[in-house]
């Protein structure tokens, strides 16, 4: 399962003028980062769908269903260039109507104000995706489905070998 988490925890940044659209930034020991422009229609639709279906995530996390696991949210953090870096937050729990969790990967922009392993509150307005496992099926993961198009064949093969189904 560790390999799946590594591949699934792709971060993405939007509106980075110095990066080409869909450029992949490889980091040793960290997930790759795929850059998207703010105007990327497919990614914007994915984020919109995630926001519109967040109630499904909340319903699942509150259900205490033993088949559900790995509740994770993607949060947008402001970057020094005026764009945003989207980072997965894991170990999500809901308390008093607010989400809390642990930063799952090291940010590309050190000025986002968090680092790997930090505990954070995830403001609802900053959520750009969500996912959880229902046994071997991943629910949500809208942005991962878009980013999968930019994975190498080896990364796709490794992801598929885990036997997880992205619904």
């Amino acid at each position: 399962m560790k390999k799946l988490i590594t591949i699934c925890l792709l971060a993405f940044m939007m509106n980075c003028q110095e990066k080409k659209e869909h450029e992949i930034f490889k980091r040793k020991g960290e997930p790759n980062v795929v850059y998207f422009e703010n105007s990327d229609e497919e990614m914007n639709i994915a984020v919109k769908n995630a926001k519109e279906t967040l109630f499904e995530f909340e319903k699942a996390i509150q259900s205490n269903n033993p088949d559900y696991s790995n509740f994770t949210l993607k949060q947008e953090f402001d970057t020094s260039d005026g764009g945003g870096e989207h980072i997965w937050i894991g170990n999500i729990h809901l308390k008093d109507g607010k989400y809390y969790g642990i930063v799952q990967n090291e940010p590309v922009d050190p000025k986002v104000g968090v680092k790997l392993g930090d505990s954070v509150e995830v403001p609802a307005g900053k959520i750009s995706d969500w996912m959880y496992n229902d046994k071997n099926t991943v629910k949500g993961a809208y942005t991962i489905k878009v980013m999968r198009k930019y994975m190498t064949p080896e990364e796709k093969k490794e992801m598929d070998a885990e036997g997880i189904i992205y619904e």
Side-chain angles (χ1 to χ4, degrees):
M1 191 62 157
K2 185 174 181 184
K3 287 182 182 178
L4 171 71
I5 292 170
T6 300
I7 296 225
C8 289
L9 294 179
L10 291 167
F12 73 94
M13 294 183 69
M14 299 176 80
N15 197 25
C16 295
Q17 273 63 11
E18 72 278 0
K19 298 291 179 186
K20 296 178 187 172
E21 186 174 2
H22 304 137
E23 182 177 350
I24 298 174
F25 178 66
K26 297 186 182 279
R27 302 184 299 168
K28 187 173 183 165
E30 284 287 323
N32 294 341
V33 176
V34 181
Y35 292 90
F36 289 83
E37 296 292 329
N38 276 340
S39 60
D40 188 281
E41 185 176 352
E42 191 173 17
M43 186 57 77
N44 287 334
I45 289 169
V47 170
K48 180 178 183 245
N49 288 338
K51 288 176 183 257
E52 289 176 350
T53 59
L54 185 59
F55 70 93
E56 294 176 21
F57 179 88
E58 187 167 325
K59 184 178 174 183
I61 202 168
Q62 291 175 328
S63 75
N64 294 317
N65 185 329
D67 292 336
Y68 298 167
S69 62
N70 298 323
F71 289 93
T72 312
L73 293 169
K74 187 180 278 187
Q75 178 178 344
E76 179 182 11
F77 291 87
D78 296 331
T79 57
S80 58
D81 68 357
E85 183 171 348
H86 299 251
I87 300 171
W88 286 106
I89 311 297
N91 299 32
I92 296 296
H93 62 279
L94 184 62
K95 182 179 177 186
D96 299 326
K98 295 180 179 181
Y99 293 108
Y100 299 89
I102 308 294
V103 175
Q104 297 294 295
N105 49 297
E106 197 64 50
V108 173
D109 186 334
K111 295 185 181 177
V112 299
V114 297
K115 62 184 181 312
L116 175 68
D118 282 354
S119 296
V120 295
E121 177 183 335
V122 184
K126 290 289 194 174
I127 294 172
S128 56
D129 202 355
W130 58 266
M131 68 178 175
Y132 67 92
N133 292 0
D134 178 356
K135 295 185 181 173
N136 285 349
T137 302
V138 174
K139 304 289 186 169
Y142 297 94
T143 59
I144 288 176
K145 293 170 191 169
V146 173
M147 287 187 285
R148 184 174 162 87
K149 295 177 181 181
Y150 305 99
M151 289 179 167
T152 66
E154 295 79 23
E155 288 170 330
K156 287 179 186 176
K157 184 177 179 182
E158 188 175 344
M159 187 177 193
D160 293 344
E162 295 293 333
I164 303 295
I165 301 164
Y166 283 82
E167 187 175 85

